[in-house]
């Protein structure tokens, strides 16, 4: 393959835009969000290898990526009772919205419809 690094980076940029558009159109599932974060983490690790201020700033970015991945993977405690102080706190810090997104059935692969069999069929 004769592709230069500049061509590969350009191709990666185009792919990132396609990924963003697909995520906006179809919705992000926890597994695809985790995969996308993993790709960004790899890119940050490669760029941080150059050292200096770039390494320092990307180390902080990688820490935030790791925290986001833990949030996507980690089990949340059961939802608090509606109207309680804990429920209001989850609304304020965004945990309730995150829980609803992560647990939504929309983000899971659809199961095929069940077919009913007539008792007369054998």
């Amino acid at each position: 393959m004769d592709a230069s690094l500049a061509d590969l980076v350009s191709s990666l940029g185009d792919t990132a835009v396609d990924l963003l558009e697909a995520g906006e159109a179809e919705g992000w599932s926890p597994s695809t969000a985790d995969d996308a974060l993993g790709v960004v983490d790899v890119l940050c690790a490669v760029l941080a290898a150059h050292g200096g201020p770039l390494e320092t700033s990307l180390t902080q970015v990688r820490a935030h990526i790791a925290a986001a991945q833990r949030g996507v993977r980690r089990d949340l405690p059961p939802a608090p009772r509606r109207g309680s102080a804990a429920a209001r706190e989850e609304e304020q810090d965004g945990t309730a919205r995150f829980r609803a997104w992560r647990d939504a059935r929309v983000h899971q692969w659809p199961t095929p419809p069940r077919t009913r069999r007539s008792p007369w069929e054998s």
Side-chain angles (χ1 to χ4, degrees), residues 15-29 32-33 36 101 106-107:
T15 303
V17 170
D18 292 343
L19 176 65
L20 175 66
E21 289 172 352
E24 288 176 349
E26 298 174 21
W28 288 91
S29 69
T32 55
W101 166 76
V106 174
H107 301 298

Side-chain angles (χ1 to χ4, degrees), residues 48 54-64:
L54 187 59
E55 180 180 13
T56 304
S57 61
L58 289 176
T59 300
Q60 295 171 359
V61 171
R62 291 187 71 209
H64 289 293

Side-chain angles (χ1 to χ4, degrees), residues 6-95:
D7 293 338
L8 291 172
V9 169
S10 176
S11 174
L12 181 61
D14 293 341
T15 303
V17 170
D18 292 343
L19 176 65
L20 175 66
E21 289 172 352
E24 288 176 349
E26 298 174 21
W28 288 91
S29 69
S31 62
T32 55
D34 188 35
D35 291 344
L37 288 168
V39 170
V40 173
D41 187 44
V42 168
L43 290 172
C44 289
V46 170
L47 291 171
H50 291 287
L54 187 59
E55 180 180 13
T56 304
S57 61
L58 289 176
T59 300
Q60 295 171 359
V61 171
R62 291 187 71 209
H64 289 293
I65 291 170
Q69 285 179 313
R70 283 191 304 273
V72 169
R73 295 175 188 159
R74 176 183 64 194
D75 289 336
L76 292 173
R81 188 174 41 85
R82 290 180 113 188
S84 67
R88 286 191 297 277
E89 185 178 327
E90 279 198 355
E91 278 297 322
Q92 289 174 349
D93 70 11
T95 302

